[in-house]
Amino acid sequence: MNKFNQKNLSNQIQNPKSKIQNLRTAVIGVGSLGQHHARNYVEIAGEGKIKFVGVCDSNDENAHLIAEKNNCDYFTDWRELLDKVDAVSIVTPTETHCEIACAFLEKGVNVLVEKPIARTLEEADKMIEAAEKSGAKLMVGHLERFNPAMVALCPHVDNPLYFEIHRVSPFPNRSLDVDVVLDVMIHDLDAIQWLVGENVKVSEIRAVGIPVISDKVDAANARIEFENGAVANITASRIGTEKIRKTRFYQTNSYVVLDYGTKFSSITSLAPNAIHPLLGISVNRLEINDVEPLRAEIEAFIDCIIHDKTPPITAADGRRALSLALGVLEKIEAHRSRLNV
Ligand SMILES: NC(=O)c1ccc[n+]([C@@H]2O[C@H](COP(=O)([O-])OP(=O)(O)OC[C@H]3O[C@@H](n4cnc5c(N)ncnc54)[C@H](O)[C@@H]3O)[C@@H](O)[C@H]2O)c1
């Protein structure tokens, strides 16, 4: 899907006679995020659009709890689902993505895998190869692309030149097995690459990051420069006192504010033919279509299967974001060795 041409995906999957009704789906890993995947699939199935086979979690108690909430079947070993489904969301810890995704892809089952696509580029390549071999779709869950504020903004993106990005959260109880770069900064790394252009190469990365509460990097700042001269300055922290999800960027003739948390986006620009620049400044708050981003993401996944289209977020996109995140981590490590922390 072209970012400048996002459509209302709900409309595309409403034909009751389409083969979509027979699409058998499941969610593997129903922890803090996976339970919301399950809820959305169950809702979509409830509207008669797909079939929902059940949830799977290696934690029996969790699998049972989420199945009960959604009134569906549950499994504790994903292998039991290999021959029962046509499409799955994989929402397990990152270190399990490659093994589980490859097994389903090799069977021809379409996969929506959570971000980051995998732990390493080698694992991502294995997944890409498995999808190419079987022809199954492989989509990566970079959810912010479906945030209504981002969707509203997309038609107005015009040569972004300089980004200031802050993504800050209070210390979480989850995802402490990964650092803040792979956990959350990767959302912004994906977004800047997408907004600047998938094919615009990164020319320089500088980064600093430190462990504060956990033994992994808890706070980091990266400066990414692209070969077209665009620069992004990104701060990601999970030891803040408040939640901030703000991106500001300057493009050829305007200043853009995007707040994923409050689903707000605006464009400040100069009215044409203003007598004086200060008299002609206008702020345009964009109207949003307030759908749940995860629902939009899952519908886009289903839509690409049914209409045999390229997923809106491809495995190559997921690999690119991972590669950028690993590049940031490499620079952080080099800097940390000088700091001796
Ligand atoms: N897109 C986003 O905004 C976003 C947000 C949060 C998490 N994530 C990603 O989602 C994934 C899960 O994160 P989470 O925070 O929900 O983690 P979590 O620990 O809360 O949940 C993971 C679940 O997977 C289960 N599990 C582990 N190994 C399994 C296996 N082999 N088979 C079946 N179930 C297994 C666990 O029991 C647990 O219930 C991670 O890759 C994370 O990076 C993405």
Side-chain angles (χ1 to χ4, degrees):
M1 180 171 49
N2 185 313
K3 63 174 172 279
F4 303 114
N5 188 24
Q6 292 206 25
K7 292 181 195 144
N8 181 347
L9 291 157
S10 283
N11 293 341
Q12 295 176 40
I13 60 169
Q14 276 174 356
N15 176 1
K17 286 191 185 124
S18 80
K19 59 182 172 175
I20 195 168
Q21 279 189 308
N22 298 320
L23 195 81
R24 298 164 304 163
T25 60
V27 176
I28 300 165
V30 283
S32 54
L33 180 62
Q35 61 180 299
H36 298 293
H37 276 257
R39 171 177 51 78
N40 275 290
Y41 278 102
V42 168
E43 278 170 20
I44 297 169
E47 292 160 19
K49 295 172 183 169
I50 54 167
K51 290 193 188 333
F52 189 66
V53 174
V55 296
C56 170
D57 200 293
S58 52
N59 177 329
D60 187 87
E61 210 177 304
N62 209 23
H64 185 232
L65 177 78
I66 302 303
E68 209 167 46
K69 263 190 185 172
N70 290 289
N71 198 18
C72 67
D73 286 342
Y74 77 91
F75 304 81
T76 51
D77 185 343
W78 52 265
R79 290 167 195 85
E80 289 180 71
L81 284 164
L82 282 170
D83 294 315
K84 294 188 171 69
V85 293
D86 305 303
V88 286
S89 275
I90 298 177
V91 202
T92 51
T94 307
E95 71 255 25
T96 64
H97 287 181
C98 180
E99 184 196 1
I100 303 177
C102 284
F104 280 97
L105 291 165
E106 279 159 16
K107 284 269 181 186
V109 174
N110 304 285
V111 169
L112 168 57
V113 66
E114 264 307 330
K115 55 71 9 201
I117 182 171
R119 273 176 306 192
T120 64
L121 296 179
E122 291 71 27
E123 285 184 350
D125 288 338
K126 269 193 200 166
M127 293 159 73
I128 291 170
E129 199 185 321
E132 278 172 1
K133 264 195 190 153
S134 71
K137 310 283 182 200
L138 175 56
M139 175 168 157
V140 185
H142 283 287
L143 188 64
E144 299 290 38
R145 295 205 199 182
F146 294 95
N147 188 294
M150 175 66 109
V151 173
L153 181 64
C154 280
H156 306 276
V157 175
D158 178 20
N159 194 22
L161 302 169
Y162 167 55
F163 297 83
E164 269 299 336
I165 300 175
H166 291 90
R167 187 175 289 268
V168 178
S169 314
F171 198 66
N173 290 322
R174 48 159 289 278
S175 299
L176 298 178
D177 54 323
V178 286
D179 55 81
V180 77
V181 176
L182 281 172
D183 187 22
V184 298
M185 186 189 277
I186 196 164
H187 284 296
D188 299 307
L189 294 170
D190 172 67
I192 56 165
Q193 179 76 69
W194 187 48
L195 293 169
V196 168
E198 278 102 341
N199 298 321
V200 183
K201 290 204 164 52
V202 169
S203 54
E204 191 185 22
I205 301 174
R206 290 185 189 196
V208 55
I210 47 170
V212 181
I213 292 179
S214 78
D215 60 349
K216 300 270 189 323
V217 172
D218 294 316
N221 175 270
R223 182 187 185 279
I224 313 286
E225 184 159 349
F226 292 89
E227 63 179 11
N228 70 352
V231 169
N233 191 28
I234 311 175
T235 296
S237 164
R238 58 184 177 196
I239 47 163
T241 51
E242 56 183 328
K243 191 169 165 181
I244 306 171
R245 298 272 182 279
K246 221 164 183 182
T247 289
R248 280 160 282 211
F249 65 89
Y250 299 84
Q251 50 185 21
T252 314
N253 286 310
S254 52
Y255 165 63
V256 175
V257 176
L258 168 60
D259 189 328
Y260 297 105
T262 58
K263 299 178 185 162
F264 167 90
S265 50
S266 72
I267 303 195
T268 302
S269 52
L270 203 58
N273 309 321
I275 311 163
H276 185 279
L278 289 179
L279 296 175
I281 291 175
S282 71
V283 182
N284 177 15
R285 180 182 179 149
L286 301 177
E287 219 169 281
I288 63 155
N289 179 14
D290 196 5
V291 292
E292 182 184 352
L294 190 54
R295 166 90 186 213
E297 178 183 287
I298 291 169
E299 286 190 342
F301 173 54
I302 294 168
D303 177 66
C304 81
I305 300 167
I306 297 306
H307 295 104
D308 194 18
K309 294 193 299 198
T310 304
I313 305 169
T314 62
D317 293 333
R319 186 190 190 281
R320 214 178 283 117
L322 175 64
S323 171
L324 202 41
L326 294 176
V328 168
L329 281 172
E330 203 177 294
K331 295 293 176 177
I332 286 175
E333 282 313 309
H335 181 258
R336 263 175 84 180
S337 63
R338 297 207 297 281
L339 286 176
N340 204 16
V341 288

